[in-house]
Amino acid sequence: MSEHSETSAEQARAGNELATRAVDLRYGDRVVIDGLDLVLPGSSVTAIVGPNACGKSTLLRGLTRLLRPSGGTVTLDGADIHRMSARALALRMGLLPQQPITPEAITVEALVRLGRYPHQRLLRPWSATDQAAVEDALRRTGTTELRDQQVDQLSGGQRQRAWIALALAQDTDLLLLDEPTTFLDLRHQLDVLDLVADLHEEAGRTVVMVLHDLGQAARYADHLVVLHEGRLAAAGPPAEVLEADLIRTVFGVDCLVLPDPETGTPLVVPRSRATRSAAARV
């Protein structure tokens, strides 16, 4: 590869930076995200964490233009996403929502093929490139053998993997996943997170995902965003962000933060009930 090509590849991977400036997100009169300033670095895996109802999924909706801010701006590489065409944004950004609505009586392969819609043109036939993207998405998510089954007849975990395959088939450099491990047992949770890591390492994809498990977030993310009551509580590398005082403040949990024996990343260990009871009596 020439020096020019290497520089171009590095510049491409350095893109895909999402940012918010003074963003307010609300449902009716209820403010969920309040005046948020945030930068999500490109060519990184970012995990958004926080307690229930803190605004994680609402933030993801705002980042993907599913929810228009009542104030402030959301930008992708400096460009206001609300000034971009829907197709242009779909070619840059793929999304797996928290509870996607499955079209009636659709097979897994037909669902995954919908991910190629942004790449279609008038009078342009379905191509070998399109089919290759579908096959790769099915293979990566372990859904190849399910391709002819109807999505609404699958188990929750199988259905989740089918939707992840759709997002992968879209073949964007920026992928946003809202609780991608929902409905999955531990093995398949790790399979999905390993897949996310592979997509980042092999293709330089930028990934933003909402997670509940702090240990998994610390293990798989380069960058951590902690939300608390609609505001930014902390952001940065997991080793710098996950501290016992922060977790106590944000999650209301008394804990120890120890190095993960496998990875060295922060591992949150809640204190036992006996320890908490003894501390309360002091």
Side-chain angles (χ1 to χ4, degrees):
M1 180 182 291
S2 69
E3 182 178 345
H4 175 74
S5 298
E6 289 178 354
T7 301
S8 298
E10 289 174 359
Q11 290 174 341
R13 287 194 295 270
N16 300 311
E17 179 184 273
L18 276 169
T20 67
R21 183 170 180 81
V23 159
D24 294 328
L25 296 170
R26 64 177 67 206
Y27 299 107
D29 294 330
R30 182 170 67 91
V31 176
V32 181
I33 298 293
D34 186 12
L36 184 66
D37 290 324
L38 180 65
V39 175
L40 303 178
S43 192
S44 296
V45 177
T46 294
I48 301 173
V49 300
N52 290 341
C54 71
K56 300 185 296 295
S57 294
T58 298
L59 173 59
L60 215 65
R61 288 173 59 84
L63 293 174
T64 56
R65 214 166 71 171
L66 292 178
L67 181 62
R68 191 178 189 93
S70 56
T73 56
V74 179
T75 61
L76 174 58
D77 290 337
D80 188 336
I81 65 171
H82 289 276
R83 296 180 179 273
M84 299 173 66
S85 71
R87 183 176 177 277
L89 191 62
L91 288 171
R92 298 281 311 274
M93 178 187 296
L95 170 67
L96 173 66
Q98 186 176 18
Q99 294 180 321
I101 299 174
T102 303
E104 186 175 355
I106 191 171
T107 66
V108 169
E109 181 173 358
L111 179 72
V112 177
R113 286 168 68 99
L114 294 178
R116 301 302 298 168
Y117 177 76
H119 298 268
Q120 302 304 299
R121 298 283 201 284
L122 185 65
L123 303 180
R124 175 184 178 276
W126 183 263
S127 69
T129 299
D130 293 321
Q131 190 60 37
V134 169
E135 297 297 333
D136 184 61
L138 291 169
R139 178 185 59 81
R140 283 182 173 273
T141 54
T143 52
T144 301
E145 294 182 358
L146 303 174
R147 66 192 310 151
D148 296 325
Q149 295 191 34
Q150 292 190 4
V151 178
D152 56 10
Q153 295 178 357
L154 301 178
S155 69
Q158 291 172 329
R159 191 179 304 120
Q160 184 76 340
R161 284 188 283 143
W163 278 102
I164 292 173
L166 181 152
L168 295 185
Q170 196 171 332
D171 194 26
T172 60
D173 288 332
L174 174 58
L175 190 60
L176 294 96
L177 308 171
D178 193 356
E179 299 187 23
T181 56
T182 298
F183 306 122
L184 301 181
D185 59 29
L186 180 58
R187 174 194 165 186
H188 287 107
Q189 288 179 30
L190 296 176
D191 286 347
V192 167
L193 294 172
D194 285 345
L195 171 59
V196 168
D198 289 343
L199 291 171
H200 170 64
E201 293 171 3
E202 295 171 5
R205 281 186 173 89
T206 301
V207 180
V208 180
M209 55 183 173
V210 172
L211 292 176
H212 278 290
D213 188 298
L214 295 179
Q216 290 181 350
R219 195 179 257 210
Y220 285 92
D222 309 304
H223 188 76
L224 208 61
V225 171
V226 184
L227 295 183
H228 185 217
E229 297 179 349
R231 295 179 179 271
L232 181 65
E240 297 177 10
V241 168
L242 287 181
E243 298 179 342
D245 288 344
L246 176 80
I247 295 168
R248 186 181 303 109
T249 299
V250 172
F251 294 91
V253 174
D254 193 13
C255 68
L256 298 173
V257 180
L258 306 172
D260 186 314
E262 284 285 322
T263 62
T265 54
L267 182 64
V268 176
V269 181
R271 291 187 180 272
S272 69
R273 184 167 65 93
T275 301
R276 287 184 278 115
S277 298
R281 290 194 296 268
V282 174

